Amino acid sequence: MSASVLYDAPGPKAVVRNRIYAVVGSLAIVALIAVSIMRLADKGHLAPEMWDIFNYAGIRQNIADAVLATLKAFGLAAVGSLVLGVLLAVGRLSDHKPVRWVATTFIELFRSLPLLITIYAIWVGFLTDYSMWALAAGLSVYNGCVQAEVLRAGINSVPKGQSEAAYALGMSKTQVMTTVLMPQAIRSMLPTIISQLVVTLKDTSLGFIILYPELLQTARLIASNTQVNGQYPYVSTIVVIGTIYIAMCLLLSALATWIEKRGRRAKTGIKVAPGVQTADIPTVEAVPGPEAGGAGGAGSTADGAAGAGVTKD
Amino acid sequence: MNVLLDNFPAFRDGFIGTVSITAVSSLIALVLGVVVAGFRVSPVPPLRFFGTAWVTLMRNTPLTLLFLIFFFVVPEILFPGMSPFVLGSLALGFYTSSFVCEAVRSGINTVPLGQAEAARSIGMTFAQTLQIVVLPQATRTVIPPLSSIFIALTKNSAIAGAFSNAELFGWQKLMSDKGYDIVPVFIWVAIGYLIITFTISGLFRLLERRMEVAR
C-alpha cells in the first residue's frame, strides 16, 4: 500500500495508528459475527440436528436434482442468449433501416425492463406448463440484449482498417461480418461475455418465483417441509445452498479471469476487455482508465445494467 | 386500456411502491457502498479484507437468495416482525452496495497518483487532499457507472414484489391472477418502469453536465 492516491507511505505515527485501527476493526467485525452466531445458536439454528438433514439420501438427491435443473436452465439460457445476442448485434449494425430499428427497439425495451417481469409475463402468457422453458426464454431475451450490446462494442472496437481491407479484397458484407469482425469481437469481449453469463447463472434463481424446481425453489421446499425441533431449518439450508451458488459463480468468474489473462499474453494486437475483477487483490490496482464504466465496468458492475456502460462508448 | 383504468388505485400504489423501495434501498446502497469502498482502499489490512469478502460474497449471491436470507435469517438475528418493506430495502441495498463500492473504488483509482503526491508535497493535509483534489475528480468518474447501477437497482426491486411488497411486479401478478390478458398488463408495467428508469438516467445526465469540466 505504499503508493496509493489516498495514503502516503506511513510514517511511524501512522503505522501505530493503522495498527490500532486494525485491532479495533477486526474486534468489531469479529464481535458482529460472534453476536450473530450466538443469536442463531440461541434460537437453536445451529443445533446438530438442523444440519443432520443433509445426511439423508433423499435430501441430497433433491439438491443434486436441483443443481441439475439450475444448470439445465442456465445452459439453455446461455446458448439462447448468445445466439440472440449475435443476431441482435448484427441486426443493430445492419445496413437496412427497418432491421436496425427493430433490433434497437427490442434491445432497448427488454434491457430496461426487470427480468422478473419478462419471465413472469412469458410464463403466464405463453408457457404456463413449461416453467423451465419460460425461465430459459426470459433469461435469453434479457441477456441476449445485453450480450448484443457487448458484441456491438466489440465489433466497434475492431480497427476500421480491417473491415476496409476485407471489403477491398472483394468480400461481401456477410463475409466481412462472419470472418473478420465477429471472431475478433467475440475474442476481445470474451471476459465480459462470460461475466454476463455469471449474471445469467445467478438470475436462474428467479425460477423460484415461477415455481421452477431449481436450487432456490428446492431449498425453500426442503426448509419448509422438514421440521426439526419444532423449527424450520432455514438457516442451515440457506448456508448450504448459498455455498453452492457462490462456488458455481466463482468458478465461472475464475474462468473469465483466466481467459482474460490468456488473452493479454497473446500478441494479436486487439485489446482484450478487462473482465470481472474477482476481488482477490485488495490492493489498489493500476488506473483502469477513464472509461472504467465502459466495457470493463460492464463486467464488474454487471448486473442488469451491464450493457448500459458499453453503449456509451 | 381497461386494465389500467379499472385498477388505477392498485397500479398507482404499485408505482409508488417501486419508487419508494428504489429510493430507500438506493440510499442504503450508497452509504454502505461508500463505507465499504473506504474499507477497501484503507491501509488497514483487516478492513481491506472485510471489504473484499463483502464484495465477493454479495456479488456472487443471487439476489433472490439474499432476499430469502433477509426474510428468514436476519429476523432471527435482529428482532422479529420487521416489515417486508424494510427487509426488502435492506436486501436490495446490501446487494447493490457491492456494486457501488466497486464503482467508487475504481473512481478513486482513476485519479492519477501524481495529483495526490503533488497535493501532499505542497503541504496539504489528508482531509484537504481528499476534499480539494481527489474527491471532486473521483465523483465525476463515478457518476456514469452509478447511474447504471441505480437503474439496475430499480429493475431488481421487482423481486421485492415477489416477497410481499406492494410494487409493480405485484400489480402484474395480481392482474394476471384476476384473469386479465397478460400483454396489456405487461405493457403498462413496462411503461411504469420506463418512466422511473428514464427519470434516473435523466437526473444523472443533468448531474454529469453540471459537474462537467475540461480535463
Side-chain angles (χ1 to χ4, degrees):
Chain A
M1 286 303 287
S2 53
S4 120
V5 191
L6 293 181
Y7 302 98
D8 209 348
K13 255 190 193 166
V15 166
V16 172
R17 205 170 51 222
N18 284 350
R19 286 216 181 110
I20 294 173
Y21 286 153
V23 171
V24 173
S26 4
L27 282 182
I29 295 166
V30 169
L32 210 66
I33 296 172
V35 167
S36 316
I37 290 178
M38 263 161 56
R39 294 275 297 173
L40 287 178
D42 272 356
K43 305 223 168 152
H45 285 294
L46 301 181
E49 300 85 45
M50 284 288 188
W51 301 82
D52 240 14
I53 56 170
F54 297 105
N55 283 331
Y56 295 123
I59 286 187
R60 286 195 175 177
Q61 189 56 45
N62 280 348
I63 292 179
D65 290 346
V67 171
L68 212 65
T70 293
L71 289 178
K72 229 192 266 169
F74 168 66
L76 285 173
V79 173
S81 66
L82 289 175
V83 171
L84 190 66
V86 169
L87 288 180
L88 284 174
V90 172
R92 264 204 94 153
L93 295 167
S94 164
D95 287 336
H96 307 286
K97 210 171 173 188
V99 177
R100 214 160 53 216
W101 193 81
V102 167
T104 312
T105 319
F106 189 87
I107 291 175
E108 290 302 330
L109 176 65
F110 283 102
R111 218 184 46 180
S112 49
L113 274 183
L115 178 53
L116 179 58
I117 302 272
T118 312
I119 291 177
Y120 192 80
I122 292 177
W123 183 58
V124 172
F126 309 101
L127 293 165
T128 321
D129 299 326
Y130 308 94
S131 53
M132 181 178 79
W133 293 100
L135 177 63
L139 284 169
S140 302
V141 167
Y142 176 79
N143 289 291
C145 294
V146 179
Q147 301 282 21
E149 289 301 275
V150 172
L151 279 177
R152 196 172 63 102
I155 290 172
N156 284 339
S157 73
V158 175
K160 209 160 186 261
Q162 302 232 359
S163 54
E164 281 169 357
Y167 282 124
L169 286 173
M171 284 188 180
S172 67
K173 173 130 203 260
T174 318
Q175 278 176 318
V176 174
M177 195 51 102
T178 52
T179 59
V180 179
L181 294 180
M182 257 316 163
Q184 302 197 57
I186 291 175
R187 195 172 181 298
S188 70
M189 282 295 164
L190 209 48
T192 318
I193 291 172
I194 294 180
S195 23
Q196 187 57 34
L197 287 181
V198 176
V199 176
T200 314
L201 178 60
K202 280 191 336 182
D203 284 346
T204 54
S205 67
L206 290 177
F208 174 76
I209 285 143
I210 59 167
L211 309 176
Y212 175 58
E214 46 76 59
L215 205 43
L216 205 61
Q217 172 72 13
T218 309
R220 176 91 185 261
L221 281 182
I222 291 175
S224 58
N225 285 339
T226 17
Q227 222 178 9
V228 189
N229 297 344
Q231 261 187 325
Y232 297 105
Y234 272 106
V235 175
S236 52
T237 321
I238 284 176
V239 168
V240 170
I241 300 295
T243 315
I244 298 177
Y245 266 118
I246 292 174
M248 290 197 298
C249 294
L250 283 181
L251 272 178
L252 253 182
S253 309
L255 180 68
T257 318
W258 180 71
I259 288 178
E260 188 197 338
K261 284 210 180 102
R262 247 187 105 229
R264 285 251 165 82
R265 225 182 314 143
K267 284 178 188 146
T268 44
I270 295 169
K271 226 181 90 200
V272 171
V276 268
Q277 303 153 343
T278 350
D280 45 354
I281 321 155
T283 43
V284 180
E285 304 147 345
V287 179
E291 70 277 4
S300 45
T301 51
D303 197 51
V310 179
T311 358
K312 277 177 189 145
D313 342 331
Chain B
M1 201 68 199
N2 275 342
V3 198
L4 186 70
L5 293 181
D6 295 350
N7 301 285
F8 190 71
F11 183 82
R12 190 193 52 209
D13 290 349
F15 186 79
I16 294 173
T18 296
V19 171
S20 44
I21 197 165
T22 304
V24 172
S25 46
S26 300
L27 203 68
I28 296 173
L30 201 60
V31 172
L32 211 58
V34 171
V35 170
V36 178
F39 282 2
R40 284 204 74 174
V41 297
S42 79
V44 184
L47 293 185
R48 230 157 48 212
F49 176 76
F50 175 74
T52 314
W54 176 276
V55 170
T56 313
L57 281 181
M58 289 292 165
R59 249 194 356 206
N60 287 298
T61 313
L63 182 55
T64 330
L65 180 66
L66 211 58
F67 265 93
L68 271 191
I69 294 175
F70 269 86
F71 277 77
F72 291 106
V73 179
V74 170
E76 298 282 286
I77 296 173
L78 297 172
F79 41 89
M82 284 192 276
S83 76
F85 181 79
V86 174
L87 291 171
S89 329
L90 281 175
L92 260 178
F94 273 46
Y95 179 76
T96 315
S97 75
S98 63
F99 297 96
V100 173
C101 164
E102 288 307 88
V104 171
R105 194 172 70 104
S106 65
I108 291 174
N109 286 346
T110 47
V111 179
L113 189 56
Q115 300 238 356
E117 284 171 351
R120 281 196 283 266
S121 67
I122 58 170
M124 282 192 187
T125 63
F126 176 71
Q128 280 174 326
T129 315
L130 205 61
Q131 276 170 25
I132 304 171
V133 180
V134 177
L135 279 188
Q137 300 189 61
T139 315
R140 286 191 187 96
T141 331
V142 168
I143 286 175
L146 271 191
S147 145
S148 36
I149 289 172
F150 286 132
I151 288 173
L153 172 85
T154 313
K155 293 189 288 172
N156 285 334
S157 75
I159 299 175
F163 285 84
S164 49
N165 264 299
E167 53 74 78
L168 285 171
F169 172 69
W171 187 76
Q172 186 190 20
K173 217 172 160 188
L174 184 75
M175 289 306 112
S176 66
D177 286 348
K178 277 190 179 178
Y180 283 102
D181 189 14
I182 190 71
V183 177
V185 174
F186 179 76
I187 292 173
W188 286 117
V189 172
I191 291 174
Y193 275 104
L194 289 179
I195 291 174
I196 300 173
T197 49
F198 278 142
T199 313
I200 293 177
S201 60
L203 281 179
F204 270 94
R205 209 166 302 135
L206 205 72
L207 204 61
E208 220 175 310
R209 212 171 304 141
R210 266 283 173 83
M211 303 186 72
E212 200 171 38
V213 280
R215 282 208 241 189

